[in-house]
Structures are given as structure tokens and as C-alpha cells.
Amino acid sequence: MPLLDALARFNDAHPWSHNAHFHPWLMRQLPRRFDRAVDVGCGSGDLARLLATRARQVHGIDVDERIIDRARESTGPDLPVTFSVADALSYDEGAPYDVITCVAVLHHLPLTETLTRFRQQLAPGGTLVVVGLTREDTRVQTLLGLASVPLNLVTGWVKNRGRTAPRPVAMTAPTRPADVPYTEFAREVRRILPGARLRRRLFWRCTIVWKKVRGDVDPGRL
Ligand SMILES: C[S@@+](CC[C@H](N)C(=O)[O-])C[C@H]1O[C@@H](n2cnc3c(N)ncnc32)[C@H](O)[C@@H]1O
């Protein structure tokens, strides 16, 4: 369709990271200072570096070797951030963590297993923040998606000051479409992370914030 082609061409010429857009919101969900954090599926490391402004130690992990090389290249030696090539379901770098973040990665992973692992790896009193993508299956998502189309154009134009631009490094990380429908996603989030704050958002995203209470049971026994 000519209109859709024109929209796609405009968006390609004025790119901006829908994931980084959530970083300020994400940081507002976290304590002023915390000890250890892990960013799962860290891509080029923008969020890991931001977390390092408040953490004693941040670890970024990603399965993609090339993107971890880029993350390392972009990180000064003065920052308390380390990166490793590792799988979200098998890395073991000294959990528990006070903060776990996971932005635009959960749809690459098996949902139930990953949420269970996050719950196990979070320290009591710790905070998990997820920005996720799901398959659209609710009216609210359809409306938010429609509203996002013009907002996406305006944001791309404003962020690029009206000029065409190359894709930011963060947008070179591997992507894939989401296939779990939101309704199923929400059911699993509520089952595995009781009391989690789950929201559908603009720009085709949803968010989860979960704080682990002290005395939380091991979800392996749920
Ligand atoms: C869309 S990118 C998001 C990157 C980054 N979080 C951001 O917000 O820009 C998804 C990332 O998840 C990583 N990924 C996919 N499967 C993974 C796994 N099993 N373990 C760790 N990282 C994974 C990909 O390599 C990619 O860098």
C-alpha cells in the first residue's frame, strides 16, 4: 500500500530507539542507589551504562558476540560495568541481583522459564523492570498502536531535528517479532510474579515492574 510504504520510508529515514525511550521511566522505578544490577539482553549497553550511574556494579549480558563487542567499545574503563556473551537462561554471574532489567528481549525467550528465573535471581527487596513486546490481541493495544503511528512520525522528526539519520547503534541489535499474545503474557506474569504492575504502553510495548518481597517462596515450588 503506497501510504504504508511512505510511512516505512519516513521512519527508516528518521530512526529513533523505542526501547531507549523507556529508559527515563525505567530509572524512575528503581531506588536512588543499589548494589548489583544485571541488564539481560543488554544490546549495545546504553541501559547498563545508565544503571551504572546508580549501582555499585552492573553486568550486561547478551548472546550476540558482535553487539557485546560494540557495548565494550562504547564503555569507558571508569564505569563499574562488565559485559559478557551469555544466555539469559544459563548465565550465572553471582546472583542474586538487587535490580534486574530486560528491555525488548523477553519475546526472544521462553516466557514461563525466563520469568521464573528472574524471580529466583532477584534478591529479597529487589526490583525487576521489563519492557516487553507481545502479539496484539486486545482492543486497548489496537488503540495504543493506532495512536503510536502519528506519534512515531513526530518523535522521529523531532529527535532527528528534521534531518535524515543513520540508525543508532542500539538499533543494530538482533530483533524478532513477538508471537505470545498479550492475554497469555499477562496471565503468566500474574501467576509467576504476584502483585506485578503490568501496563500496555504506546510504541508497541508493555511494561512490568515487580518488587520481590522478603520471604518470597522459590517459584520452582509453585
Ligand atoms: C531488540 S534487542 C534489545 C537490546 C537492548 N535491550 C535494547 O533495549 O536496545 C534484543 C536483544 O536480545 C538479545 N538476546 C536474544 N536472545 C537472548 C538470550 N537467549 N540471552 C541473552 N540475550 C538474548 C539479542 O542478541 C539482542 O541484543
Side-chain angles (χ1 to χ4, degrees), residues 19 41-43 62-64 67 86-88 103-105 108-109 170 173-175:
N19 301 327
C42 63
D62 201 291
V63 274
D64 190 82
I67 203 77
D87 191 285
V103 176
V105 182
H108 289 251
L109 300 163
T175 58

Side-chain angles (χ1 to χ4, degrees), residues 31 97-100 122-128 210-214:
Y97 295 97
D98 304 291
V99 166
I100 299 177
L122 200 60
T127 309
L128 165 71
W210 185 68
K211 293 196 190 284
K212 179 162 168 169
V213 294
R214 291 167 208 282

Side-chain angles (χ1 to χ4, degrees), residues 154-165:
V154 173
T155 310
W157 179 261
V158 170
K159 281 192 191 281
N160 291 293
R161 297 191 183 90
R163 292 192 283 267
T164 58

